[in-house]
Amino acid sequence: MLKEGAARIAPEYRESAMPMYQELIADDVKPAQSIFQEYSETDIGIARVPRSRYTDKAFFDLEVEHMWSKVWQMACREEQIPEVGDCTLYEGPAGSLILVRTAEDEIRAHYNACLHRGMRLCSGDTSVASFKCPYHGFTWNLDGTIQKIPSRWDFRHVQKAELTLPQAKVERWNGFVFVNYDQDAAPLKQYMGRMDGDFQDWMRKDGYAAIHLRKVFKANWKACMEAFVEGFHVPETHAQGIAWAGDSSFQYDVWPDEPHVSRFLEPLGTPSDRMDPIPSEDQRLQDMYRMITGKDEDAPVPPGTRLRPYIAEVARNLMSEAEGADYSGLSDTEALDGMQYSLFPNLVLFRNLLHPYAYRFTPVPGHHDWTMYDFIIFKKKPESGEIPETQYIDLEEDDLYADSGAFPEWLGEIYDQDCHALGALQKGLNAGGREYVIFSQYQEVRCRHLHQTVNSYLEKGGVDTSAL
Ligand code: FES
Ligand SMILES: [Fe+2]
């Protein structure tokens, strides 16, 4: 229970025997930074949305026209294209873009289409001195200006200026390369709102994408985002997490003036209130110790040792050693808990130590109800400055995260459960019946927020969203 007069740290209507995140961190030995001591509860009116938002191509087309073509979206990592001439593709819903490094400190995003008769110019990661169209050989400089027009005499009616490749806007942030198809878009930092400040001390600022897993989830991109921004599904979908994933103690923050950012703060090592009986703290400490260290032995501590500060210290030591870094100064909550931010529309980024992860959920071209799930695992850059190449792991439909070798099997199983659940969810959405889905007030507030922001873009485009 909250003391009278105390600042709000939970919804007034909450009924749970478990402490909330703020109550847990209040007793931490290494105290949380102020950004994690903040609580923001915002009423998002959207309680129900039509399931056609997930199933109908027509709705997806509205999103592409009014939203995907206007928002900042993460296109790649800088280390994917380290040298001048290195290219990678961003197959965004509003068009395929070639991300190319044009100078040591410049990256451009060209539409991936020949200006002669429209051929795709680039088919994947490559390194080039110029872009030569494979159809008739029109050739462009890296900066997008035309270099060569075959049979120039036959194109007397075309000016060179007409043949400069159109580009999307590009901005960079903490090693990520963002694009925006809208030439009038506000700067990225303005778009990101508080997220930029909240990541000032991010311990992955000097990290690189060590592993990049890719898998298609057979569900609409919003369903995928929603599945990863709430912990409400943990006790059913990931029953193995009921003792430690803290689902009923999560803090979910959305801010009234932040259309693009939301977060949850997940106190790990905390049991769900759906667990009965709840194991003792000694037992939970031992379970967490085994899980985090991968050791099949008890933690060398006496009964009565407090879980949070102890496991936080184990995590700091473990990760410092694994990465050759010094994480000894991290707060207990940064070392132990999950702090997950999302940047509208489709980027998810963790701010804590144990999840050096970024997720991106992008509609698969030609499939409005399939999503490419990009999963990046960061490591600290080596002292030498030589960044190892990213290891790509492409998982086919039947390939399991648990077998990917990218992380411990128990963790992979969680992603396999999510993948399976999302395929089944989309099938359910497609099955018909009642015309809408329902969101909870608090635990699914980030899902509401996602739809609110989709609506705001559609409305700016003149679409009446009241029936959509
Ligand atoms: S379509 Fe590209 S050169 Fe003709
Ligand atoms: Fe999940």
Side-chain angles (χ1 to χ4, degrees), residues 253-457:
D253 288 320
V254 296
W255 296 268
D257 50 353
E258 295 279 356
H260 303 126
V261 181
S262 67
R263 74 175 180 187
F264 69 51
L265 306 173
E266 167 191 26
L268 287 173
T270 309
S272 173
D273 64 7
R274 285 193 247 175
M275 193 174 193
D276 186 24
I278 286 178
S280 69
E281 184 159 349
D282 286 337
Q283 182 62 49
R284 288 187 281 115
L285 179 146
Q286 294 299 346
D287 291 346
M288 282 293 286
Y289 179 80
R290 284 193 160 79
M291 192 166 80
I292 285 183
T293 61
K295 290 182 183 166
D296 190 18
E297 59 189 52
D298 274 359
V301 286
T305 302
R306 285 175 55 212
L307 182 153
R308 287 186 58 82
Y310 177 70
I311 297 294
E313 185 64 12
V314 170
R316 278 186 289 260
N317 292 337
L318 198 78
M319 296 297 275
S320 295
E321 199 182 308
E323 298 190 14
D326 178 10
Y327 294 128
S328 61
L330 291 185
S331 63
D332 289 347
T333 190
E334 266 184 299
L336 169 64
D337 297 327
M339 291 100 150
Q340 189 224 63
Y341 284 69
S342 53
L343 182 67
F344 185 84
N346 64 338
L347 182 67
V348 169
L349 205 50
F350 288 85
R351 175 65 179 72
N352 58 293
L353 182 63
L354 287 177
H355 301 101
Y357 306 149
Y359 308 150
R360 182 181 65 181
F361 301 93
T362 317
V364 174
H367 298 273
H368 66 278
D369 54 1
W370 290 6
T371 299
M372 172 56 79
Y373 176 31
D374 289 278
F375 186 140
I376 292 172
I377 303 179
F378 297 104
K379 278 195 182 148
K380 193 176 159 52
K381 283 180 191 158
E383 295 291 328
S384 66
E386 290 266 315
I387 303 174
E389 273 197 19
T390 302
Q391 178 194 355
Y392 287 94
I393 301 176
D394 288 302
L395 300 179
E396 300 301 325
E397 187 166 4
D398 293 330
D399 293 342
L400 296 176
Y401 285 94
D403 299 337
S404 68
F407 24 52
E409 203 176 313
W410 66 266
L411 187 55
E413 276 166 11
I414 292 176
Y415 293 99
D416 289 320
Q417 288 165 336
D418 285 317
C419 179
H420 176 78
L422 282 161
L425 176 72
Q426 187 68 41
K427 282 185 183 153
L429 288 163
N430 291 341
R434 207 194 52 199
E435 286 304 316
Y436 57 89
V437 301
I438 300 174
F439 297 123
S440 77
Q441 173 107 32
Y442 182 67
Q443 295 174 86
E444 291 169 336
V445 70
R446 294 176 75 197
C447 306
R448 294 177 178 231
H449 184 250
L450 177 73
H451 286 272
Q452 184 186 63
T453 305
V454 168
N455 280 0
S456 74
Y457 278 93

Side-chain angles (χ1 to χ4, degrees), residues 72-129:
W72 285 100
Q73 45 219 286
M74 192 272 279
C76 68
R77 290 280 306 172
E78 286 222 37
E79 59 268 22
Q80 274 180 266
I81 45 174
E83 307 289 339
V84 172
D86 288 353
C87 305
T88 191
L89 299 185
Y90 174 57
E91 303 287 7
S96 175
L97 296 175
I98 308 169
L99 279 297
V100 55
R101 192 174 288 270
T102 46
E104 197 180 327
D105 202 32
E106 186 186 70
I107 291 170
R108 293 187 186 227
H110 303 301
Y111 281 76
N112 190 8
C114 175
L115 297 180
H116 175 218
R117 278 165 51 198
M119 185 80 175
R120 188 170 160 87
L121 275 179
C122 182
S123 57
D125 290 7
T126 183
S127 191
V128 295

Side-chain angles (χ1 to χ4, degrees), residues 148-212:
K148 185 171 173 227
I149 305 169
S151 295
R152 179 69 179 104
W153 57 267
D154 213 9
F155 290 92
R156 286 175 305 152
H157 52 292
V158 181
Q159 302 303 312
K160 275 197 164 185
E162 193 182 346
L163 292 175
T164 298
L165 293 174
Q167 297 171 27
K169 288 183 97 160
V170 175
E171 286 202 45
R172 290 176 280 168
W173 181 80
N174 281 336
F176 292 103
V177 182
F178 283 81
V179 292
N180 197 316
Y181 297 81
D182 179 5
Q183 294 304 325
D184 300 324
L188 176 64
K189 277 203 178 153
Q190 190 178 325
Y191 179 93
M192 294 187 105
R194 70 170 289 145
M195 190 150 164
D196 182 45
D198 283 12
F199 277 73
Q200 280 301 322
D201 301 325
W202 187 33
M203 74 285 282
R204 305 291 165 195
K205 267 182 180 256
D206 62 349
Y208 73 100
I211 299 176
H212 185 149

